[in-house]
Amino acid sequence: GVVKRVATFGRVCGVITGCLLGMTNLLIVDWEATERAKRAQELKSIMTTVMEDGRNVLNCARSTLWVVDEEKNEMWSTIASGQSGVLRIPLD
């Protein structure tokens, strides 16, 4: 009776403590940074698809998809076929 209840209570407390400890990392995670990284990966995937399909349709060896950043007054591309890095060109 009593021993079984105390043992069950101990297990419940252990599970609750374990769950709380496991969730503490959620308090530390920067949700905005996670969302920015997720959007950046989605944009990269879209750009890659558009460039590959465009290159195939136009029968080209290389392609670059430019994004206009009106706030920074520049065009940029993170992906250029056969190149690496970020390309930036001012709009002026």
Side-chain angles (χ1 to χ4, degrees):
V2 174
V3 174
K4 191 173 185 178
R5 287 183 190 157
V6 170
T8 303
F9 179 73
R11 288 186 196 114
V12 169
C13 288
V15 169
I16 290 171
T17 302
C19 289
L20 291 174
L21 287 174
M23 290 175 26
T24 56
N25 69 334
L26 296 176
L27 299 173
I28 299 170
V29 173
D30 182 0
W31 290 107
E32 290 179 21
T34 303
E35 282 299 314
R36 283 192 305 272
K38 189 172 159 183
R39 281 182 268 152
Q41 186 61 35
E42 289 172 356
L43 179 60
K44 184 176 180 179
S45 175
I46 291 168
M47 290 176 74
T48 301
T49 302
V50 168
M51 287 183 357
E52 287 176 359
D53 290 349
R55 197 172 62 236
N56 291 336
V57 168
L58 298 173
N59 196 23
C60 298
R62 292 184 177 189
S63 64
T64 303
L65 180 62
W66 294 96
V67 177
V68 175
D69 187 341
E70 293 178 350
E71 290 179 6
K72 294 183 179 179
N73 199 33
E74 68 181 7
M75 292 190 318
W76 63 270
S77 177
T78 57
I79 305 168
S81 300
Q83 302 290 321
S84 62
V86 177
L87 305 170
R88 296 184 185 278
I89 298 176
L91 290 176
D92 295 335

